[in-house]
Amino acid sequence: RVEAQCFDGNKRLCHIRGKMRKKVWVAVGDIILVGLRDYQDAKADVILKYSPDEARNLKAYKEIPDTAKINEGTLVEDEELDEECGFSFDDI
């Protein structure tokens, strides 16, 4: 089970389909497609996990809001790491 923050502002408990279970891993920050249930507003079913490229396309086509963060938990290879960490060990 996954707790998903939907773009309509609701937090829903989502059930991962048997076809996806143990084959597709959903991590924090991933963009997923959920199917809402007619009889339970607080629950949904995970239908699809979008790849980062697909999520960027959805953002470009305005299908998801501009505030959506894609790959917020992962580091892209092209990005350089900052050497400064924001604190100094001399202060200890």
Side-chain angles (χ1 to χ4, degrees):
R1 296 181 189 255
V2 175
E3 189 173 83
Q5 179 68 39
C6 298
F7 290 125
D8 64 358
N10 294 334
K11 216 176 242 193
R12 292 186 173 90
L13 184 64
C14 299
H15 183 286
I16 299 175
R17 295 178 44 189
K19 186 178 180 180
M20 290 181 62
R21 194 172 296 170
K22 295 186 181 179
K23 294 181 178 116
V24 177
W25 294 96
V26 180
V28 175
D30 286 343
I31 306 291
I32 57 174
L33 177 66
V34 297
L36 301 178
R37 296 180 179 179
D38 293 333
Y39 52 93
Q40 293 175 318
D41 190 44
K43 292 187 179 180
D45 299 303
V46 177
I47 297 173
L48 177 72
K49 175 186 167 186
Y50 289 109
S51 69
D53 291 332
E54 292 171 331
R56 279 196 266 314
N57 286 339
L58 287 172
K59 200 173 190 180
Y61 297 144
K62 304 289 185 193
E63 293 292 330
I64 59 175
D66 290 333
T67 58
K69 296 180 183 175
I70 299 170
N71 285 351
E72 68 178 8
T74 60
L75 179 67
V76 180
E77 290 180 16
D78 295 339
E79 293 180 3
E80 293 182 17
L81 294 173
D82 291 335
E83 294 298 323
E84 291 186 28
C85 58
F87 61 91
S88 172
F89 287 104
D90 297 333
D91 295 338
I92 298 177

